[in-house]
Amino acid sequence: MKLFQEFEAVSSKQWKQQIQYELKGADYNDTLVWKSPEDIQVKPFYHYDEANLVDGVHTKATEFKIGQSIFVYDLDKSITNALDSIQRGAESISFTIENETLDVEKLLTSLPLEKITIHFHLQFLSVEFVLKIEKIAQSNNATIFCNIDPIGQLAREGNWFTTPEKDNFETLIKLSASVSKSNFISVDSSLYQNAGATMVQQIAYTLGHVAEYFNAIPAINHTIAIYVAVGSNYFFEIAKIRALRVLFSALSKEFGHALDCHIIVSPTKRNKTIYDYNVNMLRTTSECMSAIFGGANTIINLPYDALYHKTNEFGERISRNQLLVLKKECYFDKVDNPADGSYYIESITQQLAEKALTLFKDIEANGGFLKQLKDGTIKRKIQESADVEQKSFDEGKEVLLGTNKYPNKNDKMKHDLELFPFVKIKPRKTLIKPIIEKRLAEQYEQERLSTEV
C-alpha cells in the first residue's frame, strides 16, 4: 500500500543514476558496495523492485522468553536462585547439571512448572535420569527440554558421553521409544561461533549436526532445541537466525518430519573483554536485540562480568534486567515478524541461506558432518576463519572499543580476576581434537596483565 499518493515513485534505477552522478566519476561498486567475511555483497541501498523476499520466515517476538542460566552445584541454593529469578522476571530457567546423582524430583517439584519453561543442559547421558524428568513433565503438563547433544559433546570435549550402551546414538534411540512429553535432543551451535566460524559455517554446521540426528534416529517426534551465539554484527545476526529457521524447516521436511526448532540464544563470548568490562553491557544489549528480531524463542543474556567473576547476584540481575527493559519498556514483544519489510535484512537472509545450503550439501556429499568432524575438517575450517578474524582484530580493522581502540591505560584487572578468562588446556586422551572457543582479545589482555604493577 502506498502511503503518499502525491509523491511519484522513484525506481532503484533512478536512485543508482543519481548516486553515480554524485560520485563524480568514481565507480559505484568499488566505492559503495562492500563484502562481508561471508562473501555477501552489501549495497548502499535496497529497493522494493529488487527485493527477493524469503518465504517461510515466521518469527514470534511476542512469545520470546527471558531465560536465566543456573549451574547446579548446591541443590537448595539453586532452587532458591531459581525462585528468586522467576520472581524478578525470568520466564525460563536453564539448569546445567554435571552428574546424574542430583535429586531432580526435588528440584522440579520446588518450581512453578505451570508458569515457566525448564531447560536442562546435561553434561552426561542417562536414560534413567531423563525418564525421571519425563514422569514429572507428564504429571505436571510441564514444558521441559533435556537438551542432550552427544555430537556437541564430541566436538567440544573430543570424546563421546560414557554410557552403558554401545554408542550414544543407541541411548538416544532408547529414549525416543520411551519419552513422549520431554524434548531431549539439542544442537549446541554456539561452539562454532565462539570458536570463530563465519555465519555461513555456523548455519551449515548446525544443519549438518541436525542431519546426523535425523539419520540416526528416524523416530524423532519432538521439538529440537538449538543453542545459538550471536555477535555484534547487528543486522547480519538477525538474518542468521532467520536463515537458520528457514533451512531447519526445509531439512526437517526432507526427512519426512514436521518438526519445529526451539532457538535458545546467548551473546557470544568471542568479542567480550575483561578490560573496560562495562562495554560488554552495550555489546550484549545489541546482541539481545538481534536475537529478539531474529526470532529467538528463549534468550539467556551473558552477564557483563561472566569472564572473570564467579556467578554473583549483581551481574545476573543486570543481565536479566537488560532483557526486561527491552521487553517491558522498549516493547520489543509487541510485534511478530518485526524484521518484515526490511529489504536489507531479507537480502542478507537470502544470501546467508543460499551459501549455507551450498556448504551443507558439500558436507553431505563428502561423508556428512560427523565424518568431517572426526577427520578434523570442521575444526580446520573453523580455525581458518578464526585466524582471518584474529588478524583483522590484531591489525585494528576489527574494533573492540576499550581494548584495541581507545583503551583506558589506567584500567587494572590483575587483582579482580576470580576466574581464569583465557583458553584452558586440559591434557587428556581424546578421540578427536576438540574445537576450542577463544576470544579475540585474549593475547592482548594477557600482555596487559603481565605489565600491571
Side-chain angles (χ1 to χ4, degrees):
M1 181 182 69
K2 294 183 179 180
L3 296 179
F4 303 104
Q5 300 291 342
E6 61 269 32
F7 295 108
E8 185 177 345
V10 180
S11 68
S12 61
K13 182 178 180 180
Q14 290 173 294
W15 276 111
K16 287 180 182 177
Q17 288 174 340
Q18 183 63 34
I19 291 170
Q20 190 64 64
Y21 172 77
E22 297 292 344
L23 288 173
K24 302 185 185 303
D27 184 79
Y28 173 86
N29 289 321
D30 291 343
T31 306
L32 298 178
V33 177
W34 58 274
K35 285 188 177 182
S36 75
E38 293 80 14
D39 197 33
I40 289 176
Q41 285 196 340
V42 181
K43 301 184 294 185
F45 76 96
Y46 291 80
H47 195 282
Y48 176 76
D49 61 21
E50 293 181 333
N52 188 12
L53 305 183
V54 182
D55 293 329
V57 180
H58 302 293
T59 62
K60 294 187 177 181
T62 54
E63 297 180 6
F64 89 88
K65 303 294 185 185
I66 298 173
Q68 179 70 57
S69 180
I70 296 176
F71 185 90
V72 182
Y73 59 92
D74 180 296
L75 181 57
D76 291 331
K77 287 183 179 179
S78 296
I79 292 171
T80 300
N81 290 342
L83 292 172
D84 181 65
S85 297
I86 295 166
Q87 168 120 30
R88 292 169 179 253
E91 300 159 322
S92 176
I93 304 293
S94 177
F95 294 106
T96 298
I97 299 177
E98 284 190 307
N99 61 72
E100 57 188 291
T101 60
L102 179 90
D103 187 351
V104 71
E105 291 98 337
K106 179 179 178 180
L107 175 64
L108 288 174
T109 54
S110 301
L111 303 175
L113 298 179
E114 72 283 358
K115 295 181 180 180
I116 60 171
T117 301
I118 300 293
H119 292 270
F120 286 106
H121 180 56
L122 303 180
Q123 298 183 349
F124 56 89
L125 179 51
S126 166
V127 172
E128 291 74 18
F129 193 87
V130 175
L131 290 180
K132 290 178 184 177
I133 296 172
E134 167 74 0
K135 183 178 179 181
I136 296 171
Q138 287 184 339
S139 61
N140 291 273
N141 195 28
T143 302
I144 300 178
F145 291 81
C146 291
N147 298 343
I148 301 169
D149 183 14
I151 297 174
Q153 165 76 6
L154 178 65
R156 185 181 294 274
E157 299 294 333
N159 290 313
W160 296 100
F161 289 119
T162 301
T163 59
E165 293 76 25
K166 182 180 178 181
D167 61 43
N168 285 183
F169 289 128
E170 186 180 337
T171 308
L172 293 180
I173 291 170
K174 280 187 177 181
L175 281 172
S176 68
S178 307
V179 174
S180 60
K181 179 63 179 175
S182 302
N183 306 281
F184 65 90
I185 292 177
S186 71
V187 171
D188 184 5
S189 71
S190 67
L191 172 65
Y192 311 133
Q193 203 284 343
N194 280 310
T198 66
M199 292 187 193
V200 169
Q201 289 173 325
Q202 292 168 46
I203 299 170
Y205 295 164
T206 303
L207 293 177
H209 200 141
V210 171
E212 293 292 349
Y213 288 131
F214 283 159
N215 279 317
I217 314 163
I220 294 176
N221 59 2
H222 63 77
T223 300
I224 293 179
I226 301 178
Y227 285 85
V228 176
V230 292
S232 57
N233 194 341
Y234 183 69
F235 293 108
F236 271 66
E237 293 291 355
I238 295 173
K240 180 181 81 177
I241 300 172
R242 287 161 54 90
L244 175 59
R245 193 177 290 280
V246 169
L247 292 178
F248 176 91
S249 178
L251 181 65
S252 176
K253 290 176 183 176
E254 283 295 314
F255 278 89
H257 300 304
L259 301 178
D260 194 8
C261 60
H262 185 101
I263 298 180
I264 307 164
V265 178
S266 291
T268 182
K269 296 176 184 175
R270 189 158 172 79
N271 64 0
K272 302 306 180 290
T273 58
I274 61 173
Y275 287 99
D276 211 348
Y277 47 76
N278 287 319
V279 180
N280 289 334
M281 278 190 276
L282 302 180
R283 297 181 182 121
T284 55
T285 299
S286 168
E287 289 156 2
C288 287
M289 289 167 65
S290 292
I292 296 169
F293 291 148
N297 299 96
T298 300
I299 304 173
I300 302 174
N301 196 11
L302 183 73
Y304 74 97
D305 59 347
L307 298 177
Y308 63 92
H309 273 168
K310 295 177 183 178
T311 301
N312 61 89
E313 194 276 336
F314 182 77
E316 295 289 346
R317 178 164 57 85
I318 292 297
S319 66
R320 189 172 53 247
N321 284 352
Q322 288 173 257
L323 286 167
L324 283 167
V325 168
L326 291 176
K327 190 168 192 175
K328 302 297 185 181
E329 297 185 27
C330 299
Y331 306 112
F332 277 24
D333 66 333
K334 299 304 180 187
V335 179
D336 283 333
N337 300 308
D340 279 5
S342 170
Y343 308 136
Y344 176 39
I345 294 176
E346 292 280 0
S347 175
I348 302 169
T349 302
Q350 181 72 31
Q351 292 181 74
L352 281 174
E354 289 175 352
K355 290 180 181 295
L357 185 58
T358 298
L359 178 55
F360 167 70
K361 289 179 178 179
D362 180 72
I363 292 170
E364 292 296 294
N366 287 279
F369 181 78
L370 195 52
K371 176 183 179 296
Q372 293 201 0
L373 182 63
K374 289 178 178 178
D375 67 23
T377 300
I378 301 298
K379 177 179 174 61
R380 176 171 55 81
K381 292 292 186 181
I382 292 176
Q383 190 59 56
E384 289 171 358
S385 300
D387 289 343
V388 171
E389 187 181 21
Q390 188 67 57
K391 181 181 179 184
S392 180
F393 171 80
D394 294 341
E395 294 176 349
K397 298 174 184 176
E398 176 97 8
V399 174
L400 293 181
L401 289 176
T403 300
N404 67 340
K405 190 78 168 180
Y406 309 124
N408 177 5
K409 297 299 184 181
N410 296 321
D411 197 5
K412 307 294 182 184
M413 288 298 298
K414 179 180 288 187
H415 302 294
D416 200 23
L417 301 182
E418 296 176 353
L419 301 172
F420 185 72
F422 309 114
V423 171
K424 301 176 182 67
I425 305 299
K426 297 189 292 183
R428 63 197 186 280
K429 186 176 180 180
T430 59
L431 295 172
I432 68 170
K433 290 184 178 179
I435 297 171
I436 305 298
E437 297 182 352
K438 186 179 180 181
R439 295 183 297 110
L440 288 170
E442 288 202 13
Q443 183 176 346
Y444 178 92
E445 291 171 347
Q446 286 174 313
E447 291 172 355
R448 279 192 65 175
L449 285 170
S450 67
T451 61
E452 283 189 18
V453 179

